Amino acid sequence: MALGHSELILNPDGSIYHLNLHPEDISDTIITVGDPDRVSSVSKYFDSLEIEKGKREFLAHTGYLNGKRLTVISTGIGTDNIDIVFNELDALVNVDFSSRRIKTNLTQLNFIRIGTSGAIQENIPVDTFLASTSAIGMEGLLHFYETGPEGNHGLQEALNEFLGWNAHHITAYAFDADQSLLDRFNENRIRFGITVTNSGFYGPQGRSIRLTPQIRDFNSKLASFTYQNQQITNLEMETAGIYGLAKLHGHRAISLNAILANRATGEFSKSAFRTVDNLIKFTLEKLTV
């Protein structure tokens, strides 16, 4: 059945609505960053640039590095934007725009998030690189989709029972990283852990400036949870949405985090720009070897 014009929205030039991209504009390996300014921080290392397009907070560059075609795209902050970006990127490769029908032969994309994050375990120093083995969503995006067996239901159920935050209207979901991508980035300089994704930076991550969070022990409660010998290591605002939507669409995803803050010790990186740049170079090296 053809997709309606209000479901699959295209611009007058045939590009997808929010991203302003055509199917031929993207690679099958896509690096996502939150900040539009970070797109050029990645693409400056490309050998050549083929595509430079942008609309709103969504900026995309596609080019080549060591013979490999790569796309880097900004998502903005939060899983509400992830919902837009990942559905539209999937549509670019798996929907025929002329017939408005889903293709018979589907394309699998590789998503690599390069982002910043805050640790909640004292033993994770600032400026550490951390890969999210699993991501826990507390912002609710994946509750709007039929997930079937795709999520990590064991982790999800264990955490919800441990937290007991139903009275706060919080029911977490959980999805895993792609194992083959985890294996690719597995080396001594990177740590692994479970990441929590929430809907905001302040109250939803237990911060207080003038307003008091409803859950006073938010970070310490999460930090004390263990599942199959793994701890919750860090907090951010996109990874669970990325893992969930990638998995449901049949794509592969990994989230790489530059730890710029340690919430348990109160530290913040004194070399944040250099740490993020080092993570970018590390990621590009692993993708193009």
Side-chain angles (χ1 to χ4, degrees):
M1 185 175 69
L3 294 164
H5 290 272
S6 65
E7 306 306 303
L8 174 68
I9 305 172
L10 303 179
N11 297 313
D13 66 352
S15 62
I16 196 78
Y17 183 54
H18 294 93
L19 302 186
N20 197 36
L21 296 172
H22 292 88
E24 64 270 19
D25 291 338
I26 64 169
S27 166
D28 61 4
T29 299
I30 300 175
I31 298 167
T32 70
V33 295
D35 184 355
D37 289 339
R38 198 172 292 151
V39 171
S40 60
S41 296
V42 176
S43 67
K44 72 181 181 183
Y45 292 112
F46 292 0
D47 297 323
S48 62
L49 264 183
E50 172 189 354
I51 299 292
E52 295 181 70
K53 290 187 176 181
K55 183 180 178 183
R56 305 185 186 186
E57 62 265 61
F58 309 119
L59 179 65
H61 289 179
T62 295
Y64 288 85
L65 177 61
N66 297 334
K68 185 175 180 64
R69 193 170 189 247
L70 300 169
T71 294
V72 54
I73 187 168
S74 58
T75 64
I77 296 175
T79 57
D80 52 346
N81 279 1
I82 294 300
D83 185 57
I84 291 170
V85 173
F86 275 65
N87 276 290
E88 292 195 2
L89 288 173
D90 177 77
L92 285 169
V93 296
N94 289 321
V95 176
D96 184 321
F97 283 8
S98 58
S99 68
R100 309 183 69 86
R101 295 179 183 273
I102 296 171
K103 295 178 180 179
T104 302
N105 297 317
L106 301 178
T107 296
Q108 185 181 63
L109 299 173
N110 297 299
F111 291 105
I112 300 89
R113 172 187 178 268
I114 299 176
T116 60
S117 187
I120 60 171
Q121 302 290 345
E122 287 189 12
N123 64 349
I124 300 178
V126 295
D127 304 314
T128 296
F129 297 168
L130 186 144
S132 306
T133 55
S134 302
I136 294 161
M138 296 190 168
E139 45 24 277
L141 173 62
L142 268 292
H143 295 318
F144 289 90
Y145 292 95
E146 291 185 7
T147 59
E150 295 296 341
N152 186 332
H153 294 286
L155 172 57
Q156 176 178 311
E157 291 166 8
L159 180 65
N160 282 319
E161 182 178 354
F162 174 82
L163 295 176
W165 286 350
N166 291 339
H168 300 297
H169 310 291
I170 295 175
T171 303
Y173 62 85
F175 282 85
D176 296 331
D178 177 78
Q179 188 59 50
S180 65
L181 290 176
L182 285 172
D183 292 342
R184 173 174 286 196
F185 286 91
N186 186 6
E187 69 166 55
N188 289 338
R189 69 183 300 186
I190 194 161
R191 300 180 67 145
F192 295 88
I194 300 172
T195 296
V196 164
T197 298
N198 216 337
S199 56
F201 186 77
Y202 290 97
Q205 292 188 34
R207 288 183 173 91
S208 175
I209 296 180
R210 288 207 313 122
L211 300 181
T212 302
Q214 193 173 83
I215 304 172
R216 305 291 181 90
D217 60 346
F218 186 83
N219 289 345
S220 60
K221 184 78 169 177
L222 291 174
S224 65
F225 173 76
T226 58
Y227 180 76
Q228 296 181 350
N229 297 318
Q230 285 198 92
Q231 292 180 306
I232 295 173
T233 49
N234 61 305
L235 306 176
E236 49 75 81
M237 294 177 63
E238 289 91 33
T239 297
I242 289 172
Y243 282 9
L245 292 181
K247 187 79 73 174
L248 295 182
H249 279 118
H251 303 307
R252 306 191 302 173
I254 187 171
S255 177
L256 304 176
N257 303 269
I259 300 297
L260 299 187
N262 186 299
R263 303 292 303 285
T265 64
E267 295 174 89
F268 191 84
S269 172
K270 296 178 181 178
S271 56
F273 178 83
R274 185 170 69 237
T275 298
V276 172
D277 188 55
N278 286 338
L279 180 57
I280 289 169
K281 290 186 285 188
F282 169 75
T283 302
L284 290 174
E285 176 187 346
K286 288 296 183 180
L287 291 176
T288 58
V289 291

